[in-house]
Amino acid sequence: MTTTPMVEAKDVTKSYGAIDVLRGVTLTIQRGEVACLIGPSGSGKSTFLRCINHLEKHDTGELSVDGSFVGYERRGNKLYERTDKEICAERSEIGMVFQRFNLFSHLTALENITLGPIKVKGISTSDAIEQAHLLLDRVGLHDRDHNYPSQLSGGQQQRVAIARALAMEPKLMLFDEPTSALDPELVGEVLDVMKDLAQSGMTMIVVTHEMGFAREVGDSVYFLDEGVVAESGDPNEVLVRPQSPRLVNFLSKVL
Amino acid sequence: MTPNGDDAVAVVPVRHVGRWLAAGLASVVIAMLAHSLFSKIPTGLQNCRSSHVGGALRNVCTDAFEWRFQWDIVGQYFTSIQVLHGLEMTILLTVLTMLIGVSLGVIVAIMRLSPNRIVSSVAWSFTWFFRGTPVLVQLIFWYNIASIFPSADIGIPFSISFIHLDLTTLFTPFTAVLVALGLNEGAYMSEIVRGGIQAVDEGQVEAANSLGLTRLQALRLVVLPQAMRVIIPPTGNEVISMLKTTSLASTVALVELTKSVQNIYAANYKIIPLLVVASIWYLIVTTVLSILQFYVERHYAKGSLRTPPMTPVQRLRHDLRGIAAKALTRRSPRLRELRS
């Protein structure tokens, strides 16, 4: 008896006009797995990640999260497109962390974290604030609750962004190059938070250029190149003994 | 200590000769303006009175003078009941038309950004039409609307009517002004709101969506509050502009501030001093609005600036403290030493 995988993709394609970004991505990510997506820029890593929570609509192929199709509902032999409301409900169970943090600039760190739980889940304000304090504690920012994003460093902003996503109690966390916009000395603090999260058993899909993180924390690594998964497997295998010349070439550039 | 190691090297500031000349010239112009404002001119009339000069009764006459701007008349009418009623109407019209304009502007801006082509085209056409025709023409049109639509019905199109409206009685000068200026303002405000919405980073909407907020929730809770920072300054402009545009209401016989002074000078021919009365009132309201705008802008700047701008009171205190500190250090070299 096998449990349903958290994310299952079969031949997922996506194109912007004449540019084919995804040309048939197939992969399976199990519950509790920490999957790292690596690859050169333009390989479709971020696009694939954004398809998972329907920020982008994929063109063809099957993509399902926790057993249900993203953006569609299967009834009999037909796929019905989901309404905006249903898509929002799906998204609320998937956390996302962006390269450029995207914290709400008019709200304090605390208000950033409580907005989702209050407005989407309908939790009472006092409960949401209590939970937000716990989360800020967890990412090491308990004294920054009343600061606006512009008053925080990049690393602190990204940690608040992680706390904001966690406040929705997601079953899956997506990270889109979470450390790429950070100064080198701030990368560590964000990776530490992600490491803790991985150890707590969260299913995570991380688009990253941090090969050290992929090897240390990742359960699996997927190398995307020109819109397909070119190589995948255990990070300590794939990253140490790459098979395809394209991965060898890529690793020689980033390491 | 200076980099050279000498303690007592005097610093000579740059002399800005050009700036001094400009300042001097400006001062002269200001003095001339002030003088003309508060000068008197002969009226040609003479003040004559009888008096005993050397035992005989004689008429003694002196030339009569009056303020060039007839300030006594300005003072006499400044708080007259007619003018105050006019002012009240001007403020009421400004508030109501701006309320209509802003609400309409937000709706039209959101429609304009709709993915549905028909909805966005309707919004575009609305703006195109109401920005493209003179507001005075629109005003006269609405004032006369009953001549082509004597009545209107609200109900199911082409069949049942629930409410019957008599437009002849509905479109008084007051409602005509509200509808005309409100619709026209809505067209301008929609462009301001659209600009504000588009100035907000797309990532903010994505982050809101990723939390599960719907399109409308994201707009209301995330996009519009941030867009306010861009929307407020031109809206302040619009309010001040509207304050004066309401004077067009005088063309449909609605007595607001301008019409109220027109009514007075039509009777007594004191045109200039009464225009001065109206102008001073417009300036006073504009000043109040500008102060209000400062505080509203300051409110919506939270989060985007690390330190909010000082309020005028804070700035005054800050400046005074600076001057006091400077005076203190100048007086005591010991303190100066301690500071360095």
Short mmCIF file of all heavy atoms in Angstrom, two decimals, chain A residues 50 53 55 88 91-92 94 96 98 100 102-106 115-116 119-120 148 150-151 164 168, chain B residues 201 203-204 206-215 217 220-222 225-226 302-306:
data_model
loop_
_atom_site.label_atom_id
_atom_site.label_comp_id
_atom_site.label_asym_id
_atom_site.label_seq_id
_atom_site.Cartn_x
_atom_site.Cartn_y
_atom_site.Cartn_z
N ARG A 50 6.09 27.52 -10.22
CA ARG A 50 4.91 28.40 -10.21
C ARG A 50 3.68 27.68 -10.79
O ARG A 50 2.56 28.08 -10.49
CB ARG A 50 5.21 29.67 -10.99
CG ARG A 50 6.25 30.55 -10.27
CD ARG A 50 6.94 31.49 -11.23
NE ARG A 50 6.00 32.41 -11.83
CZ ARG A 50 5.60 33.54 -11.27
NH1 ARG A 50 6.10 33.89 -10.11
NH2 ARG A 50 4.74 34.31 -11.86
N ASN A 53 1.58 25.83 -7.84
CA ASN A 53 0.49 26.50 -7.12
C ASN A 53 -0.34 27.39 -8.05
O ASN A 53 -1.03 28.30 -7.60
CB ASN A 53 0.99 27.26 -5.90
CG ASN A 53 1.78 28.48 -6.25
OD1 ASN A 53 2.12 28.69 -7.41
ND2 ASN A 53 2.08 29.31 -5.26
N LEU A 55 0.23 29.69 -10.11
CA LEU A 55 0.53 31.09 -10.45
C LEU A 55 0.74 31.17 -11.96
O LEU A 55 0.55 32.23 -12.57
CB LEU A 55 1.78 31.58 -9.72
CG LEU A 55 1.61 32.01 -8.25
CD1 LEU A 55 2.92 32.52 -7.70
CD2 LEU A 55 0.53 33.05 -8.10
N CYS A 88 -7.96 29.45 -5.10
CA CYS A 88 -7.44 30.14 -3.92
C CYS A 88 -7.37 29.19 -2.73
O CYS A 88 -6.40 29.21 -1.96
CB CYS A 88 -8.31 31.33 -3.57
SG CYS A 88 -8.09 32.70 -4.70
N ARG A 91 -4.39 27.00 -3.21
CA ARG A 91 -3.14 27.73 -2.98
C ARG A 91 -2.86 27.94 -1.50
O ARG A 91 -1.72 27.98 -1.08
CB ARG A 91 -3.21 29.10 -3.65
CG ARG A 91 -2.92 29.09 -5.11
CD ARG A 91 -2.78 30.52 -5.55
NE ARG A 91 -2.71 30.60 -6.99
CZ ARG A 91 -3.46 31.42 -7.71
NH1 ARG A 91 -4.32 32.22 -7.11
NH2 ARG A 91 -3.33 31.46 -9.01
N SER A 92 -3.96 28.11 -0.72
CA SER A 92 -3.76 28.42 0.69
C SER A 92 -3.09 27.27 1.42
O SER A 92 -2.57 27.44 2.51
CB SER A 92 -5.10 28.77 1.35
OG SER A 92 -5.90 27.62 1.43
N ILE A 94 -0.57 25.61 0.04
CA ILE A 94 0.79 25.52 -0.49
C ILE A 94 1.51 26.83 -0.18
O ILE A 94 1.08 27.89 -0.62
CB ILE A 94 0.77 25.28 -2.02
CG1 ILE A 94 -0.06 24.04 -2.36
CG2 ILE A 94 2.19 25.17 -2.56
CD1 ILE A 94 -0.27 23.82 -3.85
N MET A 96 4.55 29.60 -0.37
CA MET A 96 5.55 29.94 -1.38
C MET A 96 6.45 31.05 -0.87
O MET A 96 5.99 32.02 -0.27
CB MET A 96 4.89 30.38 -2.68
CG MET A 96 5.89 30.66 -3.78
SD MET A 96 5.19 30.33 -5.40
CE MET A 96 6.63 30.44 -6.44
N PHE A 98 9.49 33.67 -2.18
CA PHE A 98 9.95 34.23 -3.45
C PHE A 98 11.41 34.70 -3.37
O PHE A 98 11.92 35.01 -2.29
CB PHE A 98 9.08 35.42 -3.85
CG PHE A 98 7.64 35.07 -4.03
CD1 PHE A 98 6.76 35.05 -2.94
CD2 PHE A 98 7.14 34.75 -5.28
CE1 PHE A 98 5.43 34.73 -3.11
CE2 PHE A 98 5.79 34.42 -5.45
CZ PHE A 98 4.94 34.41 -4.37
N ARG A 100 12.53 37.55 -4.37
CA ARG A 100 12.60 38.93 -3.90
C ARG A 100 11.65 39.18 -2.73
O ARG A 100 11.10 40.24 -2.58
CB ARG A 100 12.35 39.88 -5.07
CG ARG A 100 13.59 39.98 -5.96
CD ARG A 100 13.34 40.73 -7.25
NE ARG A 100 12.80 42.05 -7.00
CZ ARG A 100 11.61 42.44 -7.42
NH1 ARG A 100 10.84 41.62 -8.09
NH2 ARG A 100 11.19 43.65 -7.16
N ASN A 102 8.97 39.67 -1.54
CA ASN A 102 7.57 40.09 -1.75
C ASN A 102 6.78 40.23 -0.46
O ASN A 102 5.60 39.88 -0.41
CB ASN A 102 6.85 39.11 -2.69
CG ASN A 102 7.42 39.15 -4.08
OD1 ASN A 102 8.26 40.00 -4.39
ND2 ASN A 102 6.99 38.25 -4.93
N LEU A 103 7.41 40.74 0.58
CA LEU A 103 6.65 41.06 1.79
C LEU A 103 5.76 42.25 1.48
O LEU A 103 6.13 43.10 0.67
CB LEU A 103 7.59 41.40 2.95
CG LEU A 103 8.33 40.23 3.59
CD1 LEU A 103 9.21 40.74 4.71
CD2 LEU A 103 7.36 39.20 4.13
N PHE A 104 4.59 42.30 2.13
CA PHE A 104 3.69 43.43 1.90
C PHE A 104 4.30 44.66 2.57
O PHE A 104 4.41 44.73 3.80
CB PHE A 104 2.31 43.13 2.47
CG PHE A 104 1.73 41.85 1.91
CD1 PHE A 104 1.21 40.89 2.74
CD2 PHE A 104 1.74 41.62 0.54
CE1 PHE A 104 0.68 39.71 2.23
CE2 PHE A 104 1.23 40.43 0.02
CZ PHE A 104 0.70 39.48 0.87
N SER A 105 4.69 45.64 1.75
CA SER A 105 5.53 46.71 2.26
C SER A 105 4.78 47.68 3.18
O SER A 105 5.41 48.41 3.94
CB SER A 105 6.17 47.47 1.10
OG SER A 105 5.16 48.05 0.32
N HIS A 106 3.43 47.66 3.13
CA HIS A 106 2.68 48.59 3.98
C HIS A 106 2.30 47.97 5.30
O HIS A 106 1.62 48.60 6.11
CB HIS A 106 1.43 49.06 3.24
CG HIS A 106 0.45 47.95 2.97
ND1 HIS A 106 0.78 46.85 2.23
CD2 HIS A 106 -0.83 47.78 3.34
CE1 HIS A 106 -0.27 46.04 2.16
NE2 HIS A 106 -1.26 46.59 2.84
N LEU A 115 -2.02 38.30 8.09
CA LEU A 115 -3.00 38.63 7.04
C LEU A 115 -3.68 37.38 6.48
O LEU A 115 -4.91 37.30 6.43
CB LEU A 115 -2.32 39.41 5.91
CG LEU A 115 -3.27 39.89 4.81
CD1 LEU A 115 -4.13 41.03 5.31
CD2 LEU A 115 -2.52 40.31 3.56
N GLY A 116 -2.86 36.39 6.07
CA GLY A 116 -3.42 35.17 5.48
C GLY A 116 -4.33 34.42 6.43
O GLY A 116 -5.50 34.17 6.11
N LYS A 119 -7.62 36.55 7.02
CA LYS A 119 -8.51 36.80 5.88
C LYS A 119 -8.87 35.53 5.10
O LYS A 119 -9.94 35.48 4.50
CB LYS A 119 -7.85 37.81 4.92
CG LYS A 119 -7.61 39.17 5.54
CD LYS A 119 -8.91 39.86 5.88
CE LYS A 119 -8.62 41.18 6.59
NZ LYS A 119 -9.86 41.83 7.04
N VAL A 120 -7.98 34.55 5.07
CA VAL A 120 -8.27 33.35 4.28
C VAL A 120 -8.83 32.23 5.14
O VAL A 120 -9.82 31.61 4.81
CB VAL A 120 -7.00 32.87 3.53
CG1 VAL A 120 -7.31 31.61 2.74
CG2 VAL A 120 -6.50 33.96 2.59
N TYR A 148 8.64 47.43 9.80
CA TYR A 148 8.19 47.31 8.42
C TYR A 148 9.29 46.64 7.60
O TYR A 148 10.46 46.72 7.97
CB TYR A 148 7.86 48.69 7.84
CG TYR A 148 6.58 49.26 8.39
CD1 TYR A 148 6.58 50.16 9.44
CD2 TYR A 148 5.36 48.85 7.88
CE1 TYR A 148 5.40 50.67 9.96
CE2 TYR A 148 4.17 49.34 8.38
CZ TYR A 148 4.19 50.25 9.42
OH TYR A 148 3.02 50.73 9.92
N SER A 150 10.87 47.49 5.05
CA SER A 150 11.99 48.36 4.66
C SER A 150 12.97 48.58 5.79
O SER A 150 14.08 49.05 5.58
CB SER A 150 11.45 49.71 4.18
OG SER A 150 10.79 50.36 5.24
N GLN A 151 12.55 48.22 7.01
CA GLN A 151 13.45 48.40 8.16
C GLN A 151 14.20 47.11 8.49
O GLN A 151 14.88 47.04 9.51
CB GLN A 151 12.64 48.86 9.38
CG GLN A 151 11.96 50.20 9.15
CD GLN A 151 10.87 50.49 10.17
OE1 GLN A 151 10.17 49.59 10.61
NE2 GLN A 151 10.73 51.75 10.54
N ARG A 164 5.56 33.90 7.16
CA ARG A 164 4.27 34.23 6.58
C ARG A 164 3.66 33.02 5.87
O ARG A 164 2.47 32.74 6.01
CB ARG A 164 4.43 35.38 5.58
CG ARG A 164 3.15 35.73 4.85
CD ARG A 164 3.32 36.92 3.95
NE ARG A 164 4.18 36.65 2.80
CZ ARG A 164 4.44 37.52 1.85
NH1 ARG A 164 3.94 38.74 1.92
NH2 ARG A 164 5.23 37.21 0.84
N MET A 168 0.10 29.74 7.27
CA MET A 168 -1.08 29.11 6.65
C MET A 168 -1.09 27.60 6.89
O MET A 168 -1.95 26.90 6.36
CB MET A 168 -1.08 29.39 5.14
CG MET A 168 -1.25 30.85 4.77
SD MET A 168 -2.79 31.55 5.39
CE MET A 168 -3.97 30.67 4.36
N ASP B 201 4.24 46.73 -7.25
CA ASP B 201 5.00 45.62 -7.79
C ASP B 201 4.13 44.37 -7.95
O ASP B 201 3.33 44.04 -7.08
CB ASP B 201 6.16 45.32 -6.83
CG ASP B 201 7.08 44.26 -7.37
OD1 ASP B 201 7.51 44.40 -8.53
OD2 ASP B 201 7.34 43.28 -6.66
N GLY B 203 4.92 41.38 -7.78
CA GLY B 203 5.25 40.37 -6.77
C GLY B 203 4.32 40.44 -5.56
O GLY B 203 4.07 39.43 -4.91
N GLN B 204 3.79 41.64 -5.28
CA GLN B 204 2.88 41.79 -4.15
C GLN B 204 1.59 41.01 -4.38
O GLN B 204 1.06 40.38 -3.47
CB GLN B 204 2.56 43.27 -3.92
CG GLN B 204 3.77 44.11 -3.57
CD GLN B 204 4.20 43.91 -2.14
OE1 GLN B 204 3.37 43.88 -1.25
NE2 GLN B 204 5.49 43.75 -1.92
N GLU B 206 1.32 38.42 -6.45
CA GLU B 206 1.66 36.99 -6.44
C GLU B 206 1.75 36.48 -5.02
O GLU B 206 1.26 35.39 -4.71
CB GLU B 206 3.00 36.78 -7.15
CG GLU B 206 2.88 36.92 -8.65
CD GLU B 206 4.18 36.58 -9.35
OE1 GLU B 206 5.18 36.32 -8.66
OE2 GLU B 206 4.18 36.59 -10.58
N ALA B 207 2.38 37.27 -4.14
CA ALA B 207 2.49 36.85 -2.74
C ALA B 207 1.11 36.73 -2.12
O ALA B 207 0.82 35.76 -1.40
CB ALA B 207 3.35 37.84 -1.96
N ALA B 208 0.24 37.70 -2.43
CA ALA B 208 -1.13 37.67 -1.88
C ALA B 208 -1.87 36.44 -2.40
O ALA B 208 -2.52 35.73 -1.65
CB ALA B 208 -1.87 38.94 -2.25
N ASN B 209 -1.74 36.17 -3.72
CA ASN B 209 -2.40 35.01 -4.30
C ASN B 209 -1.87 33.71 -3.70
O ASN B 209 -2.62 32.76 -3.48
CB ASN B 209 -2.21 34.99 -5.81
CG ASN B 209 -3.07 36.03 -6.49
OD1 ASN B 209 -4.05 36.49 -5.93
ND2 ASN B 209 -2.69 36.42 -7.69
N SER B 210 -0.55 33.67 -3.46
CA SER B 210 0.03 32.42 -2.96
C SER B 210 -0.47 32.11 -1.55
O SER B 210 -0.44 30.98 -1.11
CB SER B 210 1.56 32.48 -3.00
OG SER B 210 2.04 33.23 -1.91
N LEU B 211 -0.94 33.15 -0.83
CA LEU B 211 -1.52 32.91 0.48
C LEU B 211 -2.96 32.42 0.37
O LEU B 211 -3.56 32.00 1.35
CB LEU B 211 -1.50 34.19 1.32
CG LEU B 211 -0.16 34.66 1.86
CD1 LEU B 211 -0.32 35.99 2.57
CD2 LEU B 211 0.44 33.64 2.80
N GLY B 212 -3.52 32.54 -0.83
CA GLY B 212 -4.90 32.11 -1.03
C GLY B 212 -5.89 33.26 -1.05
O GLY B 212 -7.10 33.04 -1.03
N LEU B 213 -5.40 34.50 -1.08
CA LEU B 213 -6.31 35.64 -1.18
C LEU B 213 -6.89 35.69 -2.59
O LEU B 213 -6.19 35.42 -3.56
CB LEU B 213 -5.57 36.95 -0.89
CG LEU B 213 -5.03 37.17 0.52
CD1 LEU B 213 -4.13 38.39 0.57
CD2 LEU B 213 -6.16 37.34 1.51
N THR B 214 -8.18 36.04 -2.70
CA THR B 214 -8.79 36.15 -4.02
C THR B 214 -8.32 37.45 -4.68
O THR B 214 -7.68 38.29 -4.04
CB THR B 214 -10.32 36.19 -3.92
OG1 THR B 214 -10.68 37.34 -3.15
CG2 THR B 214 -10.86 34.96 -3.23
N ARG B 215 -8.68 37.60 -5.97
CA ARG B 215 -8.26 38.78 -6.73
C ARG B 215 -8.73 40.06 -6.04
O ARG B 215 -7.97 41.01 -5.89
CB ARG B 215 -8.86 38.70 -8.13
CG ARG B 215 -8.06 39.38 -9.21
CD ARG B 215 -8.70 39.11 -10.56
NE ARG B 215 -9.71 40.10 -10.87
CZ ARG B 215 -9.45 41.25 -11.50
NH1 ARG B 215 -8.23 41.55 -11.85
NH2 ARG B 215 -10.41 42.11 -11.76
N GLN B 217 -9.68 40.43 -2.83
CA GLN B 217 -9.03 40.59 -1.52
C GLN B 217 -7.63 41.16 -1.70
O GLN B 217 -7.22 42.05 -0.96
CB GLN B 217 -8.94 39.24 -0.81
CG GLN B 217 -10.20 38.84 -0.07
CD GLN B 217 -10.03 37.50 0.63
OE1 GLN B 217 -9.49 36.56 0.06
NE2 GLN B 217 -10.50 37.41 1.86
N ARG B 220 -7.92 44.83 -2.45
CA ARG B 220 -8.39 45.65 -1.34
C ARG B 220 -7.38 45.69 -0.19
O ARG B 220 -7.16 46.73 0.43
CB ARG B 220 -9.72 45.08 -0.84
CG ARG B 220 -10.48 45.94 0.15
CD ARG B 220 -11.91 45.42 0.28
NE ARG B 220 -11.96 44.01 0.62
CZ ARG B 220 -11.83 43.55 1.87
NH1 ARG B 220 -11.68 44.38 2.85
NH2 ARG B 220 -11.88 42.25 2.10
N LEU B 221 -6.74 44.55 0.09
CA LEU B 221 -5.90 44.46 1.29
C LEU B 221 -4.43 44.75 1.01
O LEU B 221 -3.69 45.13 1.91
CB LEU B 221 -6.02 43.06 1.91
CG LEU B 221 -7.41 42.66 2.38
CD1 LEU B 221 -7.46 41.19 2.69
CD2 LEU B 221 -7.81 43.48 3.59
N VAL B 222 -4.01 44.52 -0.24
CA VAL B 222 -2.57 44.65 -0.52
C VAL B 222 -2.28 45.76 -1.54
O VAL B 222 -1.47 46.65 -1.29
CB VAL B 222 -1.99 43.30 -1.02
CG1 VAL B 222 -0.55 43.45 -1.45
CG2 VAL B 222 -2.13 42.25 0.07
N PRO B 225 -3.93 49.74 -0.68
CA PRO B 225 -3.22 50.49 0.37
C PRO B 225 -1.83 50.96 -0.08
O PRO B 225 -1.38 52.03 0.32
CB PRO B 225 -3.10 49.46 1.51
CG PRO B 225 -4.18 48.49 1.29
CD PRO B 225 -4.37 48.41 -0.19
N GLN B 226 -1.17 50.14 -0.90
CA GLN B 226 0.15 50.57 -1.37
C GLN B 226 0.04 51.58 -2.50
O GLN B 226 0.89 52.46 -2.64
CB GLN B 226 0.95 49.35 -1.84
CG GLN B 226 1.36 48.46 -0.70
CD GLN B 226 2.22 47.30 -1.14
OE1 GLN B 226 3.14 47.46 -1.93
NE2 GLN B 226 1.93 46.12 -0.66
N LYS B 302 3.75 55.10 5.59
CA LYS B 302 4.30 54.14 6.55
C LYS B 302 4.74 52.87 5.82
O LYS B 302 4.04 52.35 4.97
CB LYS B 302 3.28 53.83 7.65
CG LYS B 302 2.10 53.07 7.15
CD LYS B 302 1.11 52.79 8.25
CE LYS B 302 -0.07 52.05 7.64
NZ LYS B 302 -1.11 51.71 8.52
N GLY B 303 5.91 52.40 6.18
CA GLY B 303 6.42 51.20 5.54
C GLY B 303 7.29 51.49 4.34
O GLY B 303 8.23 50.76 4.07
N SER B 304 7.01 52.59 3.62
CA SER B 304 7.82 52.86 2.44
C SER B 304 9.00 53.76 2.77
O SER B 304 9.95 53.83 2.03
CB SER B 304 6.96 53.49 1.35
OG SER B 304 6.51 54.74 1.78
N LEU B 305 8.92 54.46 3.89
CA LEU B 305 10.04 55.29 4.30
C LEU B 305 10.53 54.78 5.65
O LEU B 305 9.73 54.39 6.49
CB LEU B 305 9.62 56.76 4.45
CG LEU B 305 9.04 57.42 3.22
CD1 LEU B 305 8.44 58.76 3.58
CD2 LEU B 305 10.12 57.60 2.17
N ARG B 306 11.84 54.80 5.85
CA ARG B 306 12.34 54.31 7.13
C ARG B 306 11.95 55.24 8.26
O ARG B 306 11.62 54.82 9.35
CB ARG B 306 13.86 54.17 7.06
CG ARG B 306 14.21 52.90 6.34
CD ARG B 306 15.68 52.75 6.14
NE ARG B 306 15.90 51.83 5.04
CZ ARG B 306 16.92 51.02 4.97
NH1 ARG B 306 17.83 51.02 5.92
NH2 ARG B 306 17.06 50.21 3.96
#
